[in-house]
Amino acid sequence: MDKQTVKSGKEIVDDFFSTIAAIESVDVAIANRLAELYAQDKLTDRNVANELQKIRQQNGNEN
């Protein structure tokens, strides 16, 4: 019988954030910011909201 490797929850999330920008229909700028926050262990609702606001401002959309 073949041994199958079971990934931990952290490994699954690590894999997700390492490939999030490659997912079809995902905004690359947003994906990259989320991945950066995750890598810095700063993925909180407040930080995500702040980063989304920064992206909106950079794109000329204040709302």
Side-chain angles (χ1 to χ4, degrees):
M1 191 181 297
D2 291 331
K3 287 187 178 181
Q4 294 202 4
T5 304
V6 177
K7 291 184 178 184
S8 69
K10 181 174 179 352
E11 289 173 320
I12 292 169
V13 175
D14 289 346
D15 289 346
F16 172 76
F17 280 105
S18 69
T19 61
I20 190 173
I23 298 172
E24 188 177 336
S25 300
V26 170
D27 184 285
V28 175
I30 294 172
N32 287 337
R33 297 274 174 93
L34 292 176
E36 289 171 14
L37 288 173
Y38 176 74
Q40 297 167 358
D41 199 27
K42 294 182 178 183
L43 189 64
T44 64
D45 59 343
R46 177 166 288 212
N47 288 339
V48 169
N50 289 340
E51 291 301 316
L52 290 174
Q53 183 62 35
K54 288 178 190 177
I55 290 170
R56 284 187 200 107
Q57 289 172 347
Q58 290 172 352
N59 291 336
N61 183 359
E62 296 296 323
N63 297 324

